[in-house]
Amino acid sequence: MSSVLQPATSGQDLEAPSIVGKYRPISSHLAIAPPVSVVIPAMNEAENLPYVFKTLPDWIHEVVLVDGNSSDNTVEVARELWPGVKVVGQQGRGKGDALITGFEACSGDIIVMVDADGSADGNEIVSYVSALVSGADFAKGSRFANGGGTDDMTFIRWLGNRVLCAIVNRKFGARYTDLCYGYNAFWRHCLDKIELDCTGFEVETLMNIRVVKAGLKVQEIPSHEYLRIHGVSNLRAVRDGLRVLRVILKERSNRRALRRVGRRSPMLDSVRGEVS
């Protein structure tokens, strides 16, 4: 893992050339070397982007905005707010497709996923990055971990999230407190192990399942979800809940298939043949 953790002490001056050349200060107690990319999928979010960008820390390496063919001035606003923003046009449709497109465009060692509706606080990124440079592979945001919270959760969504989370925990041996939340961060190398291949809101659940199946070290980060500031979400509780359930069932089915293949490996069959 390419993480470098450098705690600041009273005897160190983070402004010294020898330190600045290697480490990027992110707080009074922590400096890191790995570059951090923030991916923001957006479609017609021009009114919300000022709230999103004002909370992003200035020490991040790059911001990748994936534009889902916006009909407003989302791209222009993003470039005005963050002059160095990397804008990538989405060719497909859906949040999953947008995130996959954004991940491919990132150059940082650490990737952070942030929604464009103003519901996520960019100031929390330091907690995610701290978890990663301290040894985690995947830092998973949770609204229901101790210290987290949400202002934007209907009873139906809460119930669905709770039930689906319990299923994933039971079937895959996870210990999640939240399942369907899009504020996460991870080392870039994780993408090679989880191989994302879905297009909708269920992408978050797929990631959470596959990091567990891949044996990656996951750390939950308490996060507070705020109300969407402007506009209406494309999320539909029942429709997208069913899509999440289908992903869970598919991944469970794939896991069983792999176990059967393992029991019937060519080497094992060969040994059985020699014994008989």
Side-chain angles (χ1 to χ4, degrees):
M1 186 177 294
S2 58
S3 60
V4 178
L5 181 63
Q6 178 69 26
T9 64
S10 57
Q12 287 181 318
D13 180 8
L14 290 178
E15 297 302 321
S18 60
I19 298 296
V20 172
K22 186 174 182 181
Y23 299 109
R24 180 181 299 104
I26 66 174
S27 74
S28 60
H29 297 88
L30 180 67
I32 63 171
V36 177
S37 298
V38 175
V39 176
I40 306 176
M43 184 174 69
N44 298 327
E45 299 285 9
E47 291 184 286
N48 291 321
L49 289 184
Y51 300 91
V52 177
F53 278 86
K54 76 176 181 180
T55 66
L56 295 180
D58 57 9
W59 47 261
I60 60 178
H61 170 65
E62 68 179 353
V63 176
V64 177
L65 181 90
V66 183
D67 178 50
N69 300 304
S70 298
S71 58
D72 65 1
N73 59 334
T74 290
V75 173
E76 291 76 12
V77 170
R79 285 174 171 156
E80 180 179 349
L81 294 169
W82 200 279
V85 65
K86 181 186 293 185
V87 177
V88 181
Q90 182 180 356
Q91 302 301 313
R93 298 182 61 183
K95 185 176 183 180
D97 180 83
L99 286 172
I100 293 171
T101 300
F103 297 160
E104 292 175 349
C106 289
S107 62
D109 293 332
I110 291 175
I111 299 176
V112 184
M113 305 158 46
V114 177
D115 287 340
D117 58 5
S119 63
D121 182 0
N123 292 306
E124 293 179 359
I125 291 178
V126 63
S127 298
Y128 289 83
V129 171
S130 295
L132 294 176
V133 298
S134 295
D137 296 307
F138 190 88
K140 181 191 178 309
S142 173
R143 297 161 291 187
F144 306 114
N146 186 26
T150 177
D151 300 331
D152 187 24
M153 180 72 73
T154 64
F155 175 75
I156 294 297
R157 286 179 57 201
W158 173 84
L159 180 62
N161 187 45
R162 187 177 181 87
V163 171
L164 294 169
C165 187
I167 294 174
V168 168
N169 287 343
R170 181 176 179 81
K171 298 299 183 182
F172 298 95
R175 296 181 179 179
Y176 295 140
T177 60
D178 197 352
L179 184 67
C180 307
Y181 190 43
Y183 201 171
N184 304 296
F186 52 90
W187 289 97
R188 184 184 183 87
H189 69 76
C190 293
L191 293 172
D192 297 329
K193 300 179 180 179
I194 60 178
E195 298 181 350
L196 300 176
D197 53 5
C198 66
T199 60
F201 283 99
E202 70 274 14
V203 64
E204 295 141 4
T205 296
L206 183 65
M207 294 181 75
N208 293 333
I209 292 174
R210 289 190 176 174
V211 294
V212 172
K213 291 171 66 175
L216 299 176
K217 184 178 179 180
V218 181
Q219 181 172 331
E220 284 198 332
I221 306 298
S223 178
H224 192 98
E225 178 187 39
Y226 297 90
L227 288 170
R228 164 181 276 274
I229 300 172
H230 297 286
V232 179
S233 173
N234 292 319
L235 176 67
R236 298 294 179 266
V238 176
R239 178 200 66 186
D240 293 306
L242 291 174
R243 293 185 67 162
V244 168
L245 181 59
R246 283 195 291 270
V247 163
I248 295 172
L249 296 176
K250 180 180 178 182
E251 290 300 302
R252 179 60 176 171
S253 176
N254 290 343
R255 189 179 187 185
R256 288 175 175 171
L258 287 174
R259 285 178 177 175
R260 288 195 295 270
V261 171
R263 296 193 191 102
R264 294 284 297 173
S265 66
M267 183 176 294
L268 183 58
D269 289 341
S270 175
V271 171
R272 286 173 178 167
E274 292 176 0
V275 171
S276 62

